[in-house]
Amino acid sequence: MHRFDLLIKDRLDSDMTPKKRILAFEIGTFFTRYVVFENGRMGIPGTIATPTDDIESFYQALAHIVKRQRQPIDGIAMSVPGFIDVDKQIAVTAGALGMLHGREIGKELQEYLDQPVPTWMENDANCAAMAEKLSGNAVKLDDFALITIDSGVGGALFLDGKIRRGKDWRAGELGMMIPNYEKGGFLTMQNYLSTIVLAERYAEEFDVPVGSIVPATLFHRLDEPRVRKIVDQWIDYLAIGIFNIVVVADPECVLLGGGICREQQLLPLVNEALKKIQSWSSFRTVIKRCRHSNNAGLIGAYYAFETEIDGLTDVPIR
């Protein structure tokens, strides 16, 4: 039996019985993925383009997915970018999805459904951390940090056995660190570390359109000096981000998530870059890739729903 199924079975045998059918959404800037968990078993995910023209189109798209399910849904779980007030279930911000800012997404979605369905919403990076704690590379850890790298840079802190959200739901926003004030002013880590920046540096160096290059492919061309220089500079900033997190939180492990972090060459390059930081030798923090990649948000949202919907907030994930 898969580890995830074993964990769910353990919970079925406990007082925390999961709902029968939970529909999980991972809402992204460009695409929204969804899947049904039935008695803890994950179905086959689907994908739609995230409607961004207006809020009504967005809710109608989610409601359409709910309504076309062959069997009733017992709950809806959502992974959402931005600052998420989990107590009030409000998206204080929602990343690039401006139409969701300040929205009670779960509550407002009810107006588009045929009948009320319990909902729970959580920050996307926090969901990724929950997925790693549940059945990924952090199962045995009580203290770890997670960095997600894509078109944006996010993060999550799982400390003392639980997600650290902060007083204003902003803890773990690792992409907002300022790494290079002398040369870059108040530019944040996102301005140095997003995959968009990697593509832009390549486009500038080779005088090609930004959209003509897939950033991850640069890791397959490291034998080309000009490409290697671009990648090494980008990796150095990733190492700086990791170092800053470690000296502040002293986690057991830092997990790297996002599509580009699946590249086999990335982790050795990161470890080499960390060795260039003089004080790094004082720490024994392990750097790993996330186990879950494409499904991290879905798994994390599902688990957040099961642990939080009944008011069991800030419960350590075992």
Side-chain angles (χ1 to χ4, degrees):
M1 185 178 291
H2 191 276
R3 183 178 187 87
F4 183 80
D5 290 332
L6 285 172
L7 287 166
I8 296 302
K9 181 180 183 299
D10 289 343
R11 292 174 60 219
L12 279 166
D13 295 336
S14 72
D15 292 333
M16 293 176 61
T17 304
K19 303 291 184 182
K20 184 178 180 181
R21 288 173 55 82
I22 307 302
L23 176 60
F25 287 100
E26 182 181 25
I27 299 167
T29 303
F30 303 108
F31 297 99
T32 291
R33 302 179 71 243
Y34 60 93
V35 73
V36 173
F37 289 86
E38 185 165 2
N39 290 334
R41 293 182 179 275
M42 183 176 177
I44 299 174
T47 303
I48 62 169
T50 303
T52 58
D53 47 350
D54 58 59
I55 190 65
E56 185 172 355
S57 297
F58 174 79
Y59 286 136
Q60 286 176 342
L62 266 58
H64 177 70
I65 294 171
V66 176
K67 292 176 181 179
R68 74 184 190 190
Q69 299 303 313
R70 296 180 179 179
Q71 300 180 42
I73 295 299
D74 298 300
I76 296 173
M78 291 179 286
S79 165
V80 182
F83 302 139
I84 307 301
D85 182 335
V86 296
D87 284 349
K88 297 179 180 178
Q89 284 292 285
I90 294 175
V92 181
T93 67
L97 299 174
M99 78 282 190
L100 297 181
H101 288 201
R103 295 284 185 174
E104 296 178 83
I105 300 176
K107 181 179 179 180
E108 294 174 16
L109 177 61
Q110 305 297 321
E111 300 176 12
Y112 296 81
L113 303 179
D114 294 333
Q115 58 185 19
V117 180
T119 63
W120 187 263
M121 173 174 57
E122 176 61 275
N123 167 267
D124 54 357
N126 286 349
C127 284
M130 290 178 181
E132 291 299 314
K133 179 61 180 176
L134 174 63
S135 60
N137 287 334
V139 171
K140 297 181 179 180
L141 304 179
D142 286 328
D143 294 270
F144 66 93
L146 182 146
I147 305 175
T148 58
I149 304 171
D150 207 310
S151 56
V153 178
L157 298 174
F158 193 99
L159 303 175
D160 299 324
K162 60 185 178 182
I163 287 288
R164 182 64 54 84
R165 294 189 174 95
K167 67 179 181 63
D168 291 319
W169 318 105
R170 287 161 167 77
E173 288 295 328
L174 309 179
M176 298 184 72
M177 294 186 292
I178 298 173
N180 191 358
Y181 175 76
E182 185 175 347
K183 292 185 178 180
F186 294 107
L187 293 177
T188 66
M189 187 62 76
Q190 179 158 308
N191 297 110
Y192 294 93
L193 199 54
S194 76
T195 54
I196 292 175
V197 171
L198 192 56
E200 288 174 344
R201 288 176 180 167
Y202 179 92
E204 182 179 358
E205 174 68 23
F206 289 91
D207 193 24
V208 297
V210 173
S212 67
I213 182 69
V214 177
T217 62
L218 301 189
F219 286 87
H220 302 279
R221 298 171 54 188
L222 295 177
D223 57 338
E224 302 176 37
R226 293 165 70 189
V227 174
R228 180 62 184 259
K229 182 179 179 180
I230 294 169
V231 172
D232 282 346
Q233 289 176 341
W234 186 85
I235 288 288
D236 282 345
Y237 277 106
L238 177 53
I240 290 169
I242 292 171
F243 180 78
N244 288 344
I245 295 163
V246 168
V247 297
V248 170
D250 192 24
E252 300 169 85
C253 178
V254 176
L255 294 174
L256 305 178
I260 199 165
C261 293
R262 295 197 296 272
E263 294 299 322
Q264 293 298 314
Q265 300 91 336
L266 183 135
L267 209 53
L269 290 175
V270 168
N271 285 318
E272 287 299 314
L274 284 167
K275 291 178 183 178
K276 294 188 291 186
I277 302 175
Q278 185 175 2
S279 300
W280 179 247
S281 60
S282 300
F283 297 88
R284 293 177 293 176
T285 308
V286 177
I287 314 300
K288 293 183 178 181
R289 296 183 189 85
C290 291
R291 176 184 176 186
H292 298 298
S293 53
N294 291 338
N295 295 326
L298 297 172
I299 295 171
Y302 166 75
Y303 188 78
F305 179 95
E306 290 292 13
T307 56
E308 305 283 3
I309 195 63
D310 293 325
L312 302 175
T313 58
D314 294 325
V315 174
I317 300 175
R318 304 292 184 183

